[in-house]
Amino acid sequence: MDKIAAIAICIISILTISFIQTAQADFMLTAPALYIRSPHHASLEVYKNNTITIDIAVTRFTDGPDIEKIVYSLDGHTLNTLDIIRDNQVVDFGPTKTGYIYYGRAVLTLANGNYTLIAHVMDVNGKTFSNSVDFRIDQYYVPPTVTLLSPLNQTYNSSDIPLVFSVE
């Protein structure tokens, strides 16, 4: 990663943490929560298919403000609005809170590369909650092969059993 990208990520992280700490007390009990269910973080999965599903779930308490919109941007480009689908089943969020789950989905076709998806949910009172994920598409990615050489599939009479493996 080059220095400019690393500095930009640091600045965005600091601003995000600062925003969350400032706004946390203001909407902790009523703000919608946003979860990016897909794509997964690059450390968990490398996508070999260049067609990616963006899948965002938003929860809100029954007594909280309604969801106005769910938007996302890819690598800081234009905000795109997702169609909101509300699950009409009331969800139990704990001993005294119930609410609803909303979904936003989109399918994108992207070239090989590293991407940052930033998603925002806005309620009708203008409060915003955001989340982001870095993901990677590499149609030619071949995961490493790990071969376990020891221990063997047998009974050992010692507690000193070496773990030996190879990675290709």
Side-chain angles (χ1 to χ4, degrees), residues 67-112:
I67 303 301
E68 181 178 335
K69 62 182 168 179
I70 302 171
V71 298
Y72 73 92
S73 67
L74 204 56
D75 292 335
H77 295 350
T78 307
L79 288 177
N80 300 286
T81 302
L82 296 173
D83 291 333
I84 299 175
I85 303 164
R86 177 179 151 179
D87 185 339
N88 286 321
Q89 179 178 347
V90 176
V91 179
D92 184 1
F93 289 117
T96 61
K97 287 288 187 183
T98 59
Y100 299 99
I101 299 178
Y102 297 76
Y103 299 99
R105 292 189 178 100
V107 177
L108 304 177
T109 301
L110 303 169
N112 285 344

Short mmCIF file of all heavy atoms in Angstrom, two decimals, residues 67-112:
data_model
loop_
_atom_site.label_atom_id
_atom_site.label_comp_id
_atom_site.label_asym_id
_atom_site.label_seq_id
_atom_site.Cartn_x
_atom_site.Cartn_y
_atom_site.Cartn_z
N ILE A 67 -36.46 4.54 8.93
CA ILE A 67 -35.31 4.62 8.04
C ILE A 67 -35.70 5.40 6.78
O ILE A 67 -36.71 5.11 6.15
CB ILE A 67 -34.84 3.20 7.64
CG1 ILE A 67 -34.52 2.36 8.87
CG2 ILE A 67 -33.66 3.28 6.68
CD1 ILE A 67 -33.46 2.93 9.76
N GLU A 68 -34.88 6.40 6.45
CA GLU A 68 -35.15 7.17 5.23
C GLU A 68 -34.48 6.55 4.03
O GLU A 68 -35.07 6.37 2.98
CB GLU A 68 -34.68 8.61 5.40
CG GLU A 68 -34.96 9.45 4.17
CD GLU A 68 -34.54 10.89 4.36
OE1 GLU A 68 -34.49 11.37 5.50
OE2 GLU A 68 -34.26 11.54 3.34
N LYS A 69 -33.16 6.24 4.17
CA LYS A 69 -32.47 5.65 3.03
C LYS A 69 -31.19 4.95 3.47
O LYS A 69 -30.64 5.23 4.52
CB LYS A 69 -32.18 6.67 1.95
CG LYS A 69 -31.28 7.81 2.35
CD LYS A 69 -31.14 8.78 1.16
CE LYS A 69 -30.51 10.07 1.58
NZ LYS A 69 -30.35 10.98 0.44
N ILE A 70 -30.76 4.03 2.62
CA ILE A 70 -29.49 3.34 2.76
C ILE A 70 -28.70 3.66 1.50
O ILE A 70 -29.20 3.45 0.39
CB ILE A 70 -29.67 1.82 2.90
CG1 ILE A 70 -30.56 1.46 4.09
CG2 ILE A 70 -28.31 1.13 3.02
CD1 ILE A 70 -30.95 -0.01 4.15
N VAL A 71 -27.49 4.18 1.67
CA VAL A 71 -26.66 4.52 0.52
C VAL A 71 -25.28 3.90 0.70
O VAL A 71 -24.87 3.55 1.80
CB VAL A 71 -26.53 6.05 0.32
CG1 VAL A 71 -27.88 6.68 0.05
CG2 VAL A 71 -25.88 6.71 1.52
N TYR A 72 -24.55 3.78 -0.41
CA TYR A 72 -23.19 3.27 -0.34
C TYR A 72 -22.34 3.98 -1.37
O TYR A 72 -22.84 4.55 -2.34
CB TYR A 72 -23.14 1.75 -0.56
CG TYR A 72 -23.39 1.34 -1.99
CD1 TYR A 72 -22.34 1.18 -2.89
CD2 TYR A 72 -24.68 1.13 -2.46
CE1 TYR A 72 -22.57 0.82 -4.20
CE2 TYR A 72 -24.92 0.76 -3.77
CZ TYR A 72 -23.86 0.61 -4.63
OH TYR A 72 -24.08 0.26 -5.94
N SER A 73 -21.03 3.96 -1.11
CA SER A 73 -20.09 4.44 -2.11
C SER A 73 -18.96 3.42 -2.20
O SER A 73 -18.67 2.71 -1.24
CB SER A 73 -19.53 5.82 -1.75
OG SER A 73 -18.73 5.75 -0.59
N LEU A 74 -18.36 3.34 -3.35
CA LEU A 74 -17.25 2.45 -3.59
C LEU A 74 -16.02 3.28 -3.87
O LEU A 74 -16.02 4.10 -4.79
CB LEU A 74 -17.59 1.55 -4.79
CG LEU A 74 -16.87 0.22 -4.90
CD1 LEU A 74 -17.08 -0.62 -3.65
CD2 LEU A 74 -17.36 -0.52 -6.12
N ASP A 75 -15.02 3.12 -3.02
CA ASP A 75 -13.77 3.88 -3.13
C ASP A 75 -13.99 5.39 -3.14
O ASP A 75 -13.31 6.13 -3.84
CB ASP A 75 -12.99 3.45 -4.37
CG ASP A 75 -12.47 2.03 -4.26
OD1 ASP A 75 -12.28 1.55 -3.12
OD2 ASP A 75 -12.25 1.40 -5.29
N GLY A 76 -14.98 5.85 -2.37
CA GLY A 76 -15.22 7.27 -2.21
C GLY A 76 -15.92 7.94 -3.38
O GLY A 76 -16.06 9.15 -3.41
N HIS A 77 -16.38 7.17 -4.36
CA HIS A 77 -17.07 7.75 -5.51
C HIS A 77 -18.53 8.05 -5.15
O HIS A 77 -18.93 7.97 -4.01
CB HIS A 77 -16.96 6.84 -6.72
CG HIS A 77 -15.55 6.67 -7.23
ND1 HIS A 77 -14.50 7.42 -6.80
CD2 HIS A 77 -15.01 5.83 -8.12
CE1 HIS A 77 -13.39 7.07 -7.39
NE2 HIS A 77 -13.67 6.08 -8.20
N THR A 78 -19.32 8.31 -6.11
CA THR A 78 -20.72 8.72 -5.98
C THR A 78 -21.51 7.83 -5.03
O THR A 78 -21.36 6.61 -5.04
CB THR A 78 -21.39 8.69 -7.36
OG1 THR A 78 -20.61 9.45 -8.26
CG2 THR A 78 -22.80 9.24 -7.30
N LEU A 79 -22.37 8.46 -4.22
CA LEU A 79 -23.28 7.70 -3.37
C LEU A 79 -24.37 7.08 -4.23
O LEU A 79 -24.95 7.74 -5.09
CB LEU A 79 -23.92 8.61 -2.31
CG LEU A 79 -23.03 9.07 -1.18
CD1 LEU A 79 -23.80 10.01 -0.26
CD2 LEU A 79 -22.49 7.89 -0.38
N ASN A 80 -24.65 5.83 -3.97
CA ASN A 80 -25.71 5.10 -4.66
C ASN A 80 -26.76 4.70 -3.64
O ASN A 80 -26.43 4.18 -2.58
CB ASN A 80 -25.14 3.84 -5.32
CG ASN A 80 -24.08 4.18 -6.33
OD1 ASN A 80 -24.38 4.66 -7.41
ND2 ASN A 80 -22.83 3.96 -5.97
N THR A 81 -28.02 4.93 -3.95
CA THR A 81 -29.10 4.61 -3.03
C THR A 81 -29.59 3.19 -3.29
O THR A 81 -29.80 2.80 -4.44
CB THR A 81 -30.27 5.60 -3.20
OG1 THR A 81 -29.79 6.93 -2.97
CG2 THR A 81 -31.40 5.30 -2.23
N LEU A 82 -29.76 2.43 -2.21
CA LEU A 82 -30.28 1.07 -2.31
C LEU A 82 -31.78 1.08 -2.06
O LEU A 82 -32.27 1.85 -1.23
CB LEU A 82 -29.61 0.16 -1.27
CG LEU A 82 -28.11 -0.06 -1.43
CD1 LEU A 82 -27.57 -0.83 -0.24
CD2 LEU A 82 -27.82 -0.82 -2.71
N ASP A 83 -32.50 0.22 -2.75
CA ASP A 83 -33.91 0.02 -2.44
C ASP A 83 -33.99 -0.63 -1.06
O ASP A 83 -33.24 -1.56 -0.77
CB ASP A 83 -34.58 -0.88 -3.47
CG ASP A 83 -34.71 -0.20 -4.83
OD1 ASP A 83 -34.78 1.05 -4.85
OD2 ASP A 83 -34.73 -0.90 -5.84
N ILE A 84 -34.90 -0.13 -0.23
CA ILE A 84 -35.03 -0.66 1.13
C ILE A 84 -36.16 -1.68 1.17
O ILE A 84 -37.25 -1.43 0.70
CB ILE A 84 -35.33 0.47 2.13
CG1 ILE A 84 -34.18 1.49 2.14
CG2 ILE A 84 -35.55 -0.09 3.52
CD1 ILE A 84 -34.45 2.70 3.01
N ILE A 85 -35.85 -2.82 1.75
CA ILE A 85 -36.84 -3.86 1.97
C ILE A 85 -36.99 -4.02 3.48
O ILE A 85 -36.00 -4.25 4.18
CB ILE A 85 -36.38 -5.20 1.35
CG1 ILE A 85 -36.09 -5.01 -0.13
CG2 ILE A 85 -37.41 -6.29 1.61
CD1 ILE A 85 -35.29 -6.13 -0.74
N ARG A 86 -38.19 -3.87 3.99
CA ARG A 86 -38.42 -4.01 5.43
C ARG A 86 -39.00 -5.38 5.73
O ARG A 86 -39.98 -5.79 5.13
CB ARG A 86 -39.37 -2.94 5.95
CG ARG A 86 -39.67 -3.12 7.43
CD ARG A 86 -40.59 -2.05 7.94
NE ARG A 86 -41.37 -2.57 9.03
CZ ARG A 86 -42.24 -1.88 9.71
NH1 ARG A 86 -42.47 -0.62 9.41
NH2 ARG A 86 -42.92 -2.43 10.68
N ASP A 87 -38.36 -6.07 6.66
CA ASP A 87 -38.89 -7.34 7.16
C ASP A 87 -39.96 -6.98 8.18
O ASP A 87 -39.68 -6.35 9.19
CB ASP A 87 -37.77 -8.15 7.81
CG ASP A 87 -38.21 -9.53 8.24
OD1 ASP A 87 -39.42 -9.75 8.42
OD2 ASP A 87 -37.34 -10.39 8.40
N ASN A 88 -41.20 -7.33 7.92
CA ASN A 88 -42.30 -6.91 8.78
C ASN A 88 -42.39 -7.68 10.09
O ASN A 88 -43.22 -7.37 10.93
CB ASN A 88 -43.63 -7.02 8.03
CG ASN A 88 -43.76 -5.91 7.02
OD1 ASN A 88 -43.36 -4.77 7.27
ND2 ASN A 88 -44.28 -6.23 5.85
N GLN A 89 -41.55 -8.66 10.27
CA GLN A 89 -41.55 -9.40 11.53
C GLN A 89 -40.85 -8.56 12.60
O GLN A 89 -39.77 -8.04 12.41
CB GLN A 89 -40.83 -10.73 11.37
CG GLN A 89 -40.77 -11.55 12.63
CD GLN A 89 -40.07 -12.88 12.40
OE1 GLN A 89 -39.85 -13.28 11.27
NE2 GLN A 89 -39.73 -13.54 13.47
N VAL A 90 -41.51 -8.42 13.76
CA VAL A 90 -40.91 -7.68 14.88
C VAL A 90 -39.83 -8.56 15.50
O VAL A 90 -40.02 -9.74 15.74
CB VAL A 90 -41.98 -7.31 15.93
CG1 VAL A 90 -41.34 -6.63 17.13
CG2 VAL A 90 -43.03 -6.39 15.30
N VAL A 91 -38.66 -7.96 15.75
CA VAL A 91 -37.51 -8.68 16.29
C VAL A 91 -37.31 -8.28 17.74
O VAL A 91 -37.41 -7.10 18.09
CB VAL A 91 -36.24 -8.35 15.46
CG1 VAL A 91 -35.03 -9.06 16.01
CG2 VAL A 91 -36.46 -8.68 14.00
N ASP A 92 -36.98 -9.26 18.59
CA ASP A 92 -36.72 -9.01 20.01
C ASP A 92 -35.24 -8.65 20.18
O ASP A 92 -34.37 -9.48 19.94
CB ASP A 92 -37.08 -10.25 20.81
CG ASP A 92 -36.92 -10.05 22.31
OD1 ASP A 92 -36.55 -8.93 22.73
OD2 ASP A 92 -37.15 -11.01 23.05
N PHE A 93 -34.96 -7.41 20.60
CA PHE A 93 -33.58 -6.96 20.80
C PHE A 93 -33.17 -6.99 22.27
O PHE A 93 -32.14 -6.47 22.64
CB PHE A 93 -33.40 -5.53 20.26
CG PHE A 93 -33.44 -5.45 18.77
CD1 PHE A 93 -34.42 -4.73 18.13
CD2 PHE A 93 -32.50 -6.09 17.99
CE1 PHE A 93 -34.47 -4.64 16.75
CE2 PHE A 93 -32.53 -6.02 16.61
CZ PHE A 93 -33.52 -5.29 15.99
N GLY A 94 -33.95 -7.55 23.12
CA GLY A 94 -33.59 -7.61 24.53
C GLY A 94 -34.83 -7.53 25.40
O GLY A 94 -35.95 -7.59 24.91
N PRO A 95 -34.63 -7.37 26.70
CA PRO A 95 -35.76 -7.44 27.61
C PRO A 95 -36.83 -6.36 27.40
O PRO A 95 -37.99 -6.60 27.66
CB PRO A 95 -35.13 -7.32 29.00
CG PRO A 95 -33.74 -6.86 28.78
CD PRO A 95 -33.37 -7.16 27.37
N THR A 96 -36.44 -5.19 26.89
CA THR A 96 -37.43 -4.12 26.77
C THR A 96 -37.49 -3.50 25.38
O THR A 96 -38.21 -2.53 25.18
CB THR A 96 -37.13 -2.99 27.78
OG1 THR A 96 -35.84 -2.45 27.48
CG2 THR A 96 -37.17 -3.50 29.20
N LYS A 97 -36.76 -4.04 24.42
CA LYS A 97 -36.69 -3.41 23.10
C LYS A 97 -37.08 -4.38 21.99
O LYS A 97 -36.65 -5.52 21.97
CB LYS A 97 -35.29 -2.88 22.80
CG LYS A 97 -34.90 -1.65 23.58
CD LYS A 97 -35.66 -0.46 23.06
CE LYS A 97 -35.18 0.81 23.69
NZ LYS A 97 -35.95 1.95 23.26
N THR A 98 -37.91 -3.90 21.09
CA THR A 98 -38.22 -4.64 19.88
C THR A 98 -37.98 -3.72 18.69
O THR A 98 -37.86 -2.50 18.86
CB THR A 98 -39.69 -5.13 19.86
OG1 THR A 98 -40.55 -3.99 19.96
CG2 THR A 98 -39.96 -6.11 20.99
N GLY A 99 -37.92 -4.29 17.52
CA GLY A 99 -37.68 -3.45 16.36
C GLY A 99 -37.85 -4.21 15.07
O GLY A 99 -38.43 -5.29 15.04
N TYR A 100 -37.30 -3.63 14.02
CA TYR A 100 -37.43 -4.18 12.68
C TYR A 100 -36.06 -4.28 12.03
O TYR A 100 -35.12 -3.59 12.40
CB TYR A 100 -38.31 -3.28 11.81
CG TYR A 100 -39.71 -3.13 12.33
CD1 TYR A 100 -40.09 -2.01 13.07
CD2 TYR A 100 -40.66 -4.12 12.09
CE1 TYR A 100 -41.38 -1.88 13.56
CE2 TYR A 100 -41.95 -3.99 12.58
CZ TYR A 100 -42.31 -2.88 13.30
OH TYR A 100 -43.58 -2.76 13.79
N ILE A 101 -35.97 -5.13 11.02
CA ILE A 101 -34.75 -5.24 10.23
C ILE A 101 -35.08 -4.81 8.80
O ILE A 101 -36.11 -5.18 8.24
CB ILE A 101 -34.20 -6.67 10.24
CG1 ILE A 101 -33.84 -7.09 11.67
CG2 ILE A 101 -32.97 -6.78 9.33
CD1 ILE A 101 -33.32 -8.50 11.79
N TYR A 102 -34.20 -3.98 8.25
CA TYR A 102 -34.33 -3.50 6.88
C TYR A 102 -33.14 -4.04 6.09
O TYR A 102 -32.06 -4.23 6.64
CB TYR A 102 -34.29 -1.98 6.83
CG TYR A 102 -35.42 -1.32 7.55
CD1 TYR A 102 -35.45 -1.25 8.93
CD2 TYR A 102 -36.47 -0.75 6.85
CE1 TYR A 102 -36.49 -0.63 9.61
CE2 TYR A 102 -37.52 -0.13 7.51
CZ TYR A 102 -37.52 -0.08 8.88
OH TYR A 102 -38.55 0.52 9.54
N TYR A 103 -33.34 -4.26 4.80
CA TYR A 103 -32.27 -4.77 3.95
C TYR A 103 -32.11 -3.88 2.73
O TYR A 103 -33.08 -3.35 2.21
CB TYR A 103 -32.58 -6.19 3.47
CG TYR A 103 -32.72 -7.18 4.59
CD1 TYR A 103 -33.97 -7.55 5.05
CD2 TYR A 103 -31.60 -7.74 5.18
CE1 TYR A 103 -34.11 -8.47 6.09
CE2 TYR A 103 -31.73 -8.65 6.22
CZ TYR A 103 -32.99 -9.01 6.66
OH TYR A 103 -33.10 -9.90 7.70
N GLY A 104 -30.87 -3.76 2.29
CA GLY A 104 -30.56 -3.10 1.03
C GLY A 104 -29.59 -3.98 0.27
O GLY A 104 -28.61 -4.45 0.85
N ARG A 105 -29.87 -4.24 -0.99
CA ARG A 105 -29.01 -5.12 -1.78
C ARG A 105 -28.76 -4.54 -3.17
O ARG A 105 -29.62 -3.88 -3.73
CB ARG A 105 -29.65 -6.50 -1.92
CG ARG A 105 -29.72 -7.25 -0.61
CD ARG A 105 -30.16 -8.70 -0.81
NE ARG A 105 -30.18 -9.39 0.46
CZ ARG A 105 -31.28 -9.61 1.16
NH1 ARG A 105 -32.44 -9.20 0.72
NH2 ARG A 105 -31.22 -10.25 2.31
N ALA A 106 -27.57 -4.85 -3.68
CA ALA A 106 -27.21 -4.47 -5.05
C ALA A 106 -26.21 -5.49 -5.56
O ALA A 106 -25.49 -6.11 -4.77
CB ALA A 106 -26.61 -3.07 -5.09
N VAL A 107 -26.17 -5.67 -6.86
CA VAL A 107 -25.19 -6.56 -7.48
C VAL A 107 -24.32 -5.70 -8.40
O VAL A 107 -24.83 -4.95 -9.22
CB VAL A 107 -25.89 -7.69 -8.27
CG1 VAL A 107 -24.86 -8.55 -8.98
CG2 VAL A 107 -26.76 -8.53 -7.35
N LEU A 108 -23.01 -5.82 -8.22
CA LEU A 108 -22.05 -5.05 -9.02
C LEU A 108 -21.09 -5.98 -9.74
O LEU A 108 -20.74 -7.03 -9.21
CB LEU A 108 -21.23 -4.12 -8.11
CG LEU A 108 -21.97 -3.14 -7.23
CD1 LEU A 108 -20.98 -2.37 -6.37
CD2 LEU A 108 -22.77 -2.18 -8.08
N THR A 109 -20.64 -5.57 -10.89
CA THR A 109 -19.58 -6.27 -11.60
C THR A 109 -18.36 -5.36 -11.59
O THR A 109 -18.42 -4.23 -12.07
CB THR A 109 -20.01 -6.60 -13.05
OG1 THR A 109 -21.20 -7.41 -13.00
CG2 THR A 109 -18.92 -7.36 -13.78
N LEU A 110 -17.28 -5.87 -11.01
CA LEU A 110 -16.08 -5.06 -10.80
C LEU A 110 -14.85 -5.76 -11.38
O LEU A 110 -14.82 -6.98 -11.49
CB LEU A 110 -15.86 -4.83 -9.30
CG LEU A 110 -17.01 -4.17 -8.55
CD1 LEU A 110 -16.78 -4.24 -7.05
CD2 LEU A 110 -17.16 -2.73 -8.99
N ALA A 111 -13.84 -4.98 -11.68
CA ALA A 111 -12.57 -5.51 -12.16
C ALA A 111 -11.74 -6.02 -10.99
O ALA A 111 -12.03 -5.73 -9.83
CB ALA A 111 -11.81 -4.41 -12.90
N ASN A 112 -10.70 -6.78 -11.29
CA ASN A 112 -9.78 -7.21 -10.24
C ASN A 112 -9.24 -5.98 -9.51
O ASN A 112 -8.96 -4.96 -10.14
CB ASN A 112 -8.60 -7.99 -10.83
CG ASN A 112 -8.98 -9.39 -11.24
OD1 ASN A 112 -10.01 -9.92 -10.85
ND2 ASN A 112 -8.15 -10.01 -12.06
#
